Structures are given as C-alpha cells and as structure tokens.
Amino acid sequence: MKLTSKGRYAVMALVDLARFDTINPVSLRDISLRQGISLDYLEQIFSKLKKNQIVKSTRGTQGGYILSKKPIEIKLSNILNAVDEKVKTVQCKKESKKGCNGKATKCVTHNLWDELETHINTFFDKKSLQDLLKNNSERVN
Amino acid sequence: MKLTSKGRYAVMALVDLARFDTINPVSLRDISLRQGISLDYLEQIFSKLKKNQIVKSTRGTQGGYILSKKPIEIKLSNILNAVDEKVKTVQCKKESKKGCNGKATKCVTHNLWDELETHINTFFDKKSLQDLLKNNSERVN
DNA sequence: ACATACCTGACTAAAATGGTCAAGTTTAGA
DNA sequence: TCTAAACTTGACCATTTTAGTCAGGTATGT
Ligand code: FES
Ligand code: FES
C-alpha cells in the first residue's frame, strides 16, 4: 500500500505555488527546477489540476499558474482526487450487492476496508494546503 | 493509493481459519474453495504467514494450518507486515537526512506523509482478527 | 517576429501485481 | 507398505500500473 509519485508531486508543486504565486504567475519550469520534478510530467499533472479548478493558467511570456482558491480552501482530498490518486481499499463495487469474489454477499473483510477508507479520507479532508505551509516553516529538519 | 490482493487475501484466509480451525487443521484447499482464492497463490501467502509465526502447519493427510495465537492477539498490522503489504508513504529513506529529491533537506511534504503513515498504522494496530469475527456475525449485508 | 510558456496526445521502459506451473517432501490412513 | 492428501519451494509469466519521455502543437507579452 503506497502513495504514488503523481500525488506526491501534485502536493509538492502546489505548496511551491502557494509560496510564490503572490505577485506573478509561476511557470512550471520554475517549479520543475525548484522541486526537481520533470517538466513534462508536471504538465500532465497541472492539466488535471486545471480541469478540477484548483489552479488557473496564463499563457504566453511571463505566464504560468496561480492557485484558484486560498490555500486554506484547498484540501488534500481535492488535490489527490484531481490527479486520480484515489484511495481504493475495497475490491468490489460498493453500490453493488455482490462481493469481491462474485458471491451474493459481501466478503468477511469488506467492512474493515471500508472503515479504513473512511479513516484515510478523513485525514485528507482535514488537511489543507495552508497546513503544509505552516508546518514547513515550523520545522527545519 | 490502493490495497493489494495479497493483503486482502491474507486477512480473508485468516478469518476463515479462525472460524474453522477449532477442531482440525484447515487445508488450504478448503480455504481456496470457500473464499474463492487460487490455491497456488494461497500457498505463497501462507508460506509468509508461517515464517512470521502467525500460523502453524501440519503436513500430510488431514494436515493443514491453524492459528498460532488467539484471534485477539493477531493484529491486522501483524498480518499485513507478514505478507509485505507495508504502508509506505514517504519516498525518501526515513533515517537518512536527505530528502526524496536528493537534496539535503526533507521535502515540504515529508511530514505530511509521515503523519499519514502513523495514522494508518494506528488503525491496523488497533484491529485484531477477533474484531473481524465479531463484526461479520453482526452484519448481514 | 520570437521567445516563453502553456497544451495535447502518443509512446515507452521498468516495476509491481496476481497469479500459474513444476517438482518436490511429509505423513495419515487403508 | 503404498498411496493420496496436503504442505513446500522456487521458477516463471502475462497483464497492468507507474513514471515518465517525446513530439508536436497554440497562445501571448515584449
Ligand atoms: S471487498 Fe467488498 S466484498 Fe470483498
Ligand atoms: S518524502 Fe521524505 S523528503 Fe520527500
């Protein structure tokens, strides 16, 4: 059970954006250099962030991206959903009456994984970009 | 971010074992049929569970597996660790001073992922096999 | 005009996943 | 003693996912 780079990069990039977009839009090139993330990969990620209205873009010279909301309004869950880093613990379709093994009842572990999913999503719903900004300036190491 | 089948199967199989091992050892063949898990795959999983002293085996005809501890003593974390379903959220090596990007400081999201890891592990540490047995008989759907 | 920066989609190498297959060894019971 | 049930081990493999790269665009400030 692990987090993928796409989700990690998305959050890193948005923290970067939150810090530097106060005056001018921030170019992906800058983020790429500061955070050590491939530019081409960043473009894929930002395309999704834009579709989900988390960032706004300006084209042309001196263009770049800015956040479309205040950092405190952007929850981790928004970001991760946007880049398809969904938390998926149950195997079966939740709405369906069928279990993951194709049987008519949910398997013995279904409720467990469902609880876990809620547990994790609660965590992501509570945390906002703002929390990360704060957290980072507090700790040096 | 998703759970793999190996972890899911391990838990399913152990719940099955907890229910049926009271008199005789339970054969993997039985578990395979009841839970709809490939026999060959179960063997891989139980090999690991045995190495981690979660189950004991008896060879030969009428052989099979039994739990080596009481269900309440077997935590989910024990099971998932045994089958290498580790929760891994940070990219970097935790002990190292270096960050995931190779830089000298931890990245801006490091603390976040570390918190998440703790959050999830706490969940797994609290839940035991016993909880699953109970939970399952309570709920029909 | 032209450099900068966003935009789009196709492509791909490498790793992880979810198994299968083959060839044993051990032991209960007929 | 013979045999079948059941554990044991290790190699193998197809598919999917991941983490990008690459090659082309299009828009726009100067
Ligand atoms: S995970 Fe939903 S039925 Fe097994
Ligand atoms: S995850 Fe540890 S430094 Fe980035």
Side-chain angles (χ1 to χ4, degrees), chain A residues 90-92 99-100 106-107 110 113:
Chain A
V90 298
Q91 178 75 349
C92 60
C100 54
K106 294 294 183 186
C107 77
H110 181 90
W113 308 128

Side-chain angles (χ1 to χ4, degrees), chain B residues 3 6 8 11 13 19 37 39 41 45 49 53 59 69 79 81 86 93 98 108 112 114 116 118 126:
Chain B
L3 209 68
K6 195 176 286 188
R8 206 189 321 272
V11 177
R19 281 180 166 170
I37 305 170
L39 177 58
Y41 201 25
I45 293 170
L49 291 175
Q53 279 120 40
R59 298 178 75 146
K69 290 183 262 185
I79 303 173
N81 272 324
K86 304 228 175 76
K93 285 187 214 116
K98 284 186 191 170
V108 290
L112 172 72
D114 203 26
L116 173 61
T118 304
K126 274 194 213 144

Side-chain angles (χ1 to χ4, degrees), chain B residues 4-72:
Chain B
T4 66
S5 286
K6 195 176 286 188
R8 206 189 321 272
Y9 287 166
V11 177
M12 284 172 71
L14 287 175
V15 170
D16 188 286
L17 207 55
R19 281 180 166 170
F20 292 99
D21 80 346
T22 45
I23 304 172
N24 295 312
V26 179
S27 73
L28 292 190
R29 154 172 269 275
D30 287 350
I31 297 179
S32 167
L33 292 174
R34 275 196 294 261
Q35 304 297 330
I37 305 170
S38 144
L39 177 58
D40 284 316
Y41 201 25
L42 270 181
E43 281 172 350
Q44 282 183 41
I45 293 170
F46 272 75
S47 156
K48 298 191 179 197
L49 291 175
K50 193 187 174 185
K51 273 194 196 118
N52 286 267
Q53 279 120 40
I54 292 171
V55 296
K56 279 187 259 188
S57 68
T58 318
R59 298 178 75 146
T61 315
Q62 301 302 322
Y65 289 92
I66 57 171
L67 295 178
S68 53
K69 290 183 262 185
K70 273 181 268 176
I72 198 158

Side-chain angles (χ1 to χ4, degrees), chain A residues 1-3 8 11 34 86-89 91 103 109 111 113 115 119 127 135 139 141, chain B residues 1-3 8 11 34 86-89 91 97 103 109 111 113 115 119 127 135 139:
Chain A
M1 188 174 203
K2 66 173 194 209
L3 209 70
R8 206 188 323 271
V11 178
R34 275 197 294 262
K86 304 226 175 78
V87 177
K88 177 164 168 41
T89 55
Q91 178 75 349
K103 293 187 184 157
T109 57
N111 292 338
W113 308 128
E115 263 186 75
H119 191 67
K127 293 272 175 188
N135 195 310
R139 282 192 60 165
N141 185 19
Chain B
M1 186 171 206
K2 67 174 193 212
L3 209 68
R8 206 189 321 272
V11 177
R34 275 196 294 261
K86 304 228 175 76
V87 177
K88 178 165 168 36
T89 55
Q91 178 77 347
K97 288 279 179 191
K103 293 186 185 161
T109 57
N111 292 337
W113 309 128
E115 263 186 75
H119 190 67
K127 293 272 175 187
N135 195 309
R139 280 192 61 166

Side-chain angles (χ1 to χ4, degrees), chain A residues 8 12, chain B residues 89-92 98-101 105-107 109-110 113:
Chain A
R8 206 188 323 271
M12 284 172 71
Chain B
T89 55
V90 298
Q91 178 77 347
C92 61
K98 284 186 191 170
C100 53
N101 43 19
T105 58
K106 294 294 183 186
C107 77
T109 57
H110 181 90
W113 309 128

